[in-house]
Amino acid sequence: SLWEECDNLRRILNEDNFQNEVKALVYYAHEMLEETARFELKKVKVMAVGPAGILFRAKAIEENSDNINGSAILLEVPFSFGGTFSCGDQLRSAVLGAIAGVNMD
């Protein structure tokens, strides 16, 4: 079912070898929200994958203008696919497309 696929994708994205991709997605999604705070992500967890996007929770350290590390903060950052998918194949493609889109450096 679609919800099993959502949960499966959530589990896969939370594996250690996807941590860099997931962090890149969080940085990208945070910029799309037009948030201006600078921070360094310490740990990112995928809370949910759904038909319309991904919800991340991140532990981060705020960076102030003097480049001195500030306080630890907890961020919840949504990432939208820009549409809603009704089948697992489309959803998988959307997740892979999102990861590929932020990994082009």
Side-chain angles (χ1 to χ4, degrees):
S1 77
L2 182 64
W3 295 110
E4 286 169 346
E5 185 62 36
C6 287
D7 203 48
N8 195 29
L9 287 165
R10 181 190 58 78
R11 269 199 311 276
I12 290 168
L13 291 174
N14 277 324
E15 290 176 2
D16 286 346
N17 50 335
F18 275 105
Q19 188 70 187
N20 289 340
E21 286 85 351
V22 167
K23 280 183 179 176
L25 264 181
V26 170
Y27 280 122
Y28 174 80
H30 201 258
E31 283 175 19
M32 291 298 100
L33 294 171
E34 296 181 8
E35 299 283 348
T36 54
R38 302 305 324 141
F39 54 86
E40 181 189 347
L41 291 174
K42 292 297 181 188
K43 184 159 175 50
V44 176
K45 188 169 166 95
V46 177
M47 300 306 291
V49 175
I54 306 171
L55 180 64
F56 300 100
R57 181 173 287 159
K59 282 185 182 161
I61 304 289
E62 266 184 313
E63 292 178 351
N64 61 26
S65 55
D66 302 326
N67 250 354
I68 299 166
N69 278 348
S71 51
I73 51 173
L74 200 60
L75 301 171
E76 286 207 345
V77 182
F79 177 86
S80 172
F81 296 137
T84 303
F85 301 103
S86 55
C87 84
D89 289 346
Q90 293 174 328
L91 186 64
R92 217 170 305 124
S93 293
V95 170
L96 290 172
I99 287 172
V102 295
N103 258 1
M104 301 206 308
D105 48 3

